[in-house]
Amino acid sequence: MFSLKKTFFVSATTFVIAVAMVSCSKSGETLSGLNPAAFDSTINGKKVQLFTLTNKQGMEVCITNFGARIVSIMVPNKDNAFCDVVLGYDNLAQYADTVNSPSDFGAAIGRYANRINKGKLTVGGKTIQLPQNNFGHCLHGGPSGWQYQVYDATQVNDTTLQMSIDSKDGDNNFPGNVKATVTYTLLSNNTLDIKYEATTDKETVINMTNHSYFNLSGNPSQPGTNMVLYINADNFTPTDSTYMTTGEIKPVYGTPMDFNKDHALYQSIADTTFAQIKNAGGYDHNWCLNTYKNGKGDDNKVAASLYSPESGILLQVYTNEPGIQVYTGNFLGSNVKGKKGIVYPRQAAVCLETQKYPDSPNKKNWPSPYLKPGEKYYSHQVFKFSVR
């Protein structure tokens, strides 16, 4: 056994971690090949570790409480061989290193998933300036959003894990003391059920989601554009060259944004004559789900699906949210190594982020992300796996 202790300075102003990188025998590994010791550490005085959920079908989901991140998902393919279908790192040090290997791999995003225009929002008649960490906008709650914070974790049983976080008033300049929970439940039918809940003592905005990168082939060294995508949506929200929503809602019909009839991503993602794809370098857009009507989402109907002809694995997504952000990993392709030392190529995976529309605080006619004292935020996101 070999042990190396090293201190990582994640940035000049954020995290200082002491990480113990300890190798162990194969018998100590998870089904996905992760070494739990590589996640056993302390960040900002809070204990971090790897948790494992399993069901009677043999499905396994590994999650770390650093950012409440899904690290691996093992599901059976058409040959009944188990595959890891999400991208990520096999150690805590890389997840926490926001300088050399920044990522949102698998994270529970908060306070506000996606972008807020110029980092400005109005709460109670007061304009608030948030951090501007992406093309002049506030992305995923700012540079120290919840994906880079340590959640408190309680493993209820083999199939249920609850993460909680207390976000103080002024966290990344967001108002209100917010208490939020993320509950992961692995069901017997190979479904990962995710529930987000939050309360506040002052009016604020909340928009949470999971940011897993899916490659259902089980071979993330290959592009994910062979996967077949379906989105139950007749409209989408166009963006400008800075990825910010313009305020318009446009029909998908007759454009490369139409996934009402499922098709392989490569059949439309290369259409650079379409400005939305050209500007984003692929897909990085919000679709307005047909499953959301009259202010309520139907989480019993399929909102979107992703399928790999190679593995036969089908992922169906359900939600009560009005929108889903589909991101095709356009910024992947650096030399940073992921799990098992694999360098993920550009567009190696697809993210399916159920959420409020981007910049909803500044679009009054869109579903509201505001949360007031006495109210309870509730968001439901379901990833159901099967073989076709």
Side-chain angles (χ1 to χ4, degrees):
M1 181 175 289
F2 173 76
S3 176
L4 171 65
K5 291 187 176 180
K6 188 173 182 180
T7 300
F8 289 84
F9 294 89
V10 176
S11 76
T13 58
T14 54
F15 306 106
V16 179
I17 344 187
V19 180
M21 297 297 292
V22 185
S23 65
C24 67
S25 65
K26 292 289 184 180
S27 61
E29 292 182 348
T30 65
L31 180 64
S32 59
L34 296 171
N35 176 3
F39 291 83
D40 191 2
S41 184
T42 301
I43 298 179
N44 290 345
K46 301 192 71 173
K47 183 175 177 56
V48 181
Q49 61 188 105
L50 189 71
F51 299 85
T52 302
L53 303 180
T54 56
N55 67 10
K56 293 181 180 179
Q57 309 302 321
M59 181 175 168
E60 177 195 82
V61 180
C62 293
I63 303 168
T64 175
N65 58 316
F66 178 68
R69 293 170 181 259
I70 295 172
V71 180
S72 66
I73 299 178
M74 293 291 283
V75 293
N77 65 13
K78 60 186 177 182
D79 299 319
N80 207 32
F82 279 80
C83 303
D84 187 356
V85 294
V86 292
L87 276 55
Y89 299 124
D90 50 22
N91 61 81
L92 178 62
Q94 280 186 285
Y95 279 110
D97 185 352
T98 60
V99 176
N100 300 302
S101 56
S103 81
D104 297 315
F105 287 153
I109 304 294
R111 285 185 189 190
Y112 197 92
N114 220 307
R115 296 168 177 86
I116 295 177
N117 191 27
K118 298 180 181 177
K120 291 186 178 181
L121 62 92
T122 302
V123 180
K126 180 181 178 181
T127 299
I128 296 171
Q129 181 64 62
L130 304 171
Q132 295 168 273
N133 60 316
N134 183 263
F135 294 94
H137 310 304
C138 182
L139 175 65
H140 294 332
S144 57
W146 294 353
Q147 66 271 35
Y148 296 116
Q149 298 184 36
V150 180
Y151 285 66
D152 295 318
T154 301
Q155 181 141 9
V156 179
N157 50 46
D158 288 345
T159 60
T160 303
L161 177 67
Q162 186 175 80
M163 302 281 190
S164 62
I165 190 169
D166 287 344
S167 177
K168 301 302 182 184
D169 184 22
D171 181 5
N172 280 283
N173 289 350
F174 285 93
N177 291 295
V178 170
K179 295 182 180 295
T181 61
V182 185
T183 303
Y184 295 101
T185 304
L186 181 57
L187 305 180
S188 59
N189 64 346
N190 287 356
T191 294
L192 181 60
D193 184 284
I194 310 174
K195 292 182 174 68
Y196 308 91
E197 297 172 285
T199 58
T200 184
D201 66 354
K202 186 187 297 184
E203 186 176 9
T204 190
V205 293
I206 300 288
N207 188 32
M208 298 182 70
T209 192
N210 178 266
H211 209 303
S212 287
Y213 287 62
F214 294 99
N215 185 316
L216 301 180
S217 74
N219 182 8
S221 65
Q222 300 298 319
T225 50
N226 287 332
M227 289 189 290
V228 175
L229 178 65
Y230 163 74
I231 308 174
N232 188 355
D234 294 333
N235 298 284
F236 78 106
T237 52
T239 60
D240 62 23
S241 60
T242 67
Y243 300 87
M244 176 51 59
T245 48
T246 63
E248 303 167 285
I249 293 178
K250 287 190 173 182
V252 299
Y253 181 74
T255 77
M257 311 301 286
D258 190 352
F259 285 91
N260 277 295
K261 183 177 181 180
D262 60 346
H263 62 269
L265 281 159
Y266 70 79
Q267 294 177 314
S268 56
I269 198 170
D271 187 357
T272 55
T273 62
F274 188 67
Q276 290 296 308
I277 290 180
K278 181 180 180 181
N279 289 343
Y283 292 108
D284 191 1
H285 297 83
N286 168 73
W287 274 259
C288 307
L289 293 170
N290 294 335
T291 54
Y292 188 89
K293 295 180 180 179
N294 301 318
K296 186 176 180 180
D298 188 345
D299 53 9
N300 291 307
K301 294 181 179 179
V302 176
S305 69
L306 195 64
Y307 172 69
S308 169
E310 182 179 348
S311 68
I313 296 172
L314 172 68
L315 166 60
Q316 294 172 303
V317 181
Y318 301 80
T319 186
N320 66 332
E321 290 289 359
I324 186 167
Q325 183 86 6
V326 176
Y327 170 57
T328 51
N330 311 315
F331 289 103
L332 295 174
S334 70
N335 292 321
V336 176
K337 293 181 179 180
K339 286 179 288 186
K340 302 184 187 304
I342 295 172
V343 176
Y344 301 132
R346 183 175 179 271
Q347 297 179 341
V350 175
C351 301
L352 301 166
E353 308 160 58
T354 61
Q355 56 191 258
K356 302 292 189 294
Y357 303 165
D359 196 38
S360 285
N362 296 309
K363 271 81 171 180
K364 294 182 179 180
N365 295 327
W366 290 4
S368 174
Y370 284 88
L371 183 71
K372 296 180 180 179
E375 298 176 342
K376 191 171 185 178
Y377 170 85
Y378 174 77
S379 181
H380 192 204
Q381 183 177 29
V382 174
F383 296 136
K384 182 179 180 180
F385 297 91
S386 60
V387 173
R388 188 170 72 186

